[in-house]
Amino acid sequence: MFRVKPVLIVLALVLLAYTSADAFHAEILPAEINPGDAFLVKVTGSPGEPLAVSDNGRLYFENCGDSCYIAVGAVDVRTEPGVYEIVVSNGENKKRLELHVRHIEFPVRRLTLPEDKVTLSSENLKRVEKEKARLSLIWGKVSDRLWDGKFIMPLENSISAGFGIKRIMNRKKESIHRGIDIRGKNGEAVKAANTGRVVLAEELFFGGNTVIIDHGQGIYTVYMHLSKFNVTYGEIVSKGDIIGFVGSTGRATGPHLHFGVKVTAVNVNPVSFTRLPF
Ligand SMILES: [Zn+2]
C-alpha cells in the first residue's frame, strides 16, 4: 500500500501556511479624494513590512498591530481628476489599488496686500529664494515616527480661507492657497497638532513667525503669522502643547493662523488630514 511519508505532510503544511500568510489584504481609506487630500493605505495579514509605490513615489509604512501596516499618502492640489494606481507588494504577492481623484473647482479670491509683499525687491527676492531652499531641505527628510493617533486642529475656530483657493493678489500675482487660514484673535494660543520635533521656529518673509514640527514618517505641520513663539528649535512637543500665539506677522491682512500639513513634501488639505481614520 502507498503511504505518504510524514516528512512530506509536514512540508506540505508548512508550504500551505506560508502561502496563506503571504496573501495579505490592502485598502485605501478613503478610496475617493479631492486634489490635495491625504489618504491611508492599510495592509492587514501581512507577514512582514509591505512596500507601496504611488505616482509620487514610495509610501512609508508603520506597524499598527499584529501583521497590520499603515502608510499616509497624498496627492498634489494640481492633480488631474482620474484614477491612479497604488501598487502594494509583499514578496511575490502584489495588489493594485485604485485611488479616485475627483474634479473640483476651487474658488478664486481677490486680495489686497502691502505692495512690498507682492512685488518683491531684489533683496527680498534673494531672501525668499534662500528660505525656499532651506524649507525644501526640511521636507526632504523622513524621520522616525513620533506622531500618535489622530491629528488635531491647532486652533478650534472657523476657517476664513480654505485649502486650494486661487488668490489673486493686488490684481496681478496668482497663488494657490496650500494650507488653511483659521480665524483667531491676537495672542490666542496655538496648539501642536500632534507629537513631534520642532525643526524651525523663526521669522520668514511670507510666513512671519513660523513654527514647523516634524512628526516623522515624512509628515510635517506648519504654523504661520504667529505673534510670539512658545517653543525653540529641537524641542520635542506633545499633541496639544502650546507652541505659540496668533498674530499677523509676515504676509497677512490681519491676525489669523495659517496652518499647513506636508506629507512626503506634498502640501495636503489639513481638514482632510485631520479626518483620516488612523
Ligand atoms: Zn494662509
Side-chain angles (χ1 to χ4, degrees), residues 161 167 177-181 224-225 256-259:
R167 299 168 309 172
H177 195 223
R178 289 182 158 86
I180 56 171
D181 290 345
M224 288 178 175
H225 313 305
H256 73 277
L257 174 73
H258 174 100
F259 177 47

Side-chain angles (χ1 to χ4, degrees), residues 152-260:
I152 59 166
M153 280 293 175
L155 190 62
E156 278 145 25
N157 298 335
S158 57
I159 295 169
S160 57
F163 179 88
I165 62 170
K166 193 202 257 180
R167 299 168 309 172
I168 304 172
M169 294 173 279
N170 298 2
R171 296 173 173 226
K172 52 186 162 204
K173 203 169 170 187
E174 283 186 16
S175 111
I176 295 175
H177 195 223
R178 289 182 158 86
I180 56 171
D181 290 345
I182 307 175
R183 290 190 174 91
K185 291 190 197 81
N186 222 344
E188 227 177 304
V190 174
K191 293 172 183 168
N194 211 317
T195 301
R197 185 187 298 276
V198 176
V199 289
L200 186 125
E202 60 186 85
E203 196 225 338
L204 302 177
F205 184 77
F206 288 131
N209 292 337
T210 303
V211 169
I212 301 177
I213 302 176
D214 178 2
H215 302 283
Q217 232 184 330
I219 302 170
Y220 293 85
T221 50
V222 186
Y223 312 79
M224 288 178 175
H225 313 305
L226 303 173
S227 56
K228 260 180 18 194
F229 296 108
N230 201 39
V231 286
T232 51
Y233 174 83
E235 212 177 313
I236 299 272
V237 289
S238 298
K239 194 193 294 191
D241 281 357
I242 296 171
I243 54 157
F245 304 92
V246 172
S248 54
T249 54
R251 191 166 72 182
T253 49
H256 73 277
L257 174 73
H258 174 100
F259 177 47

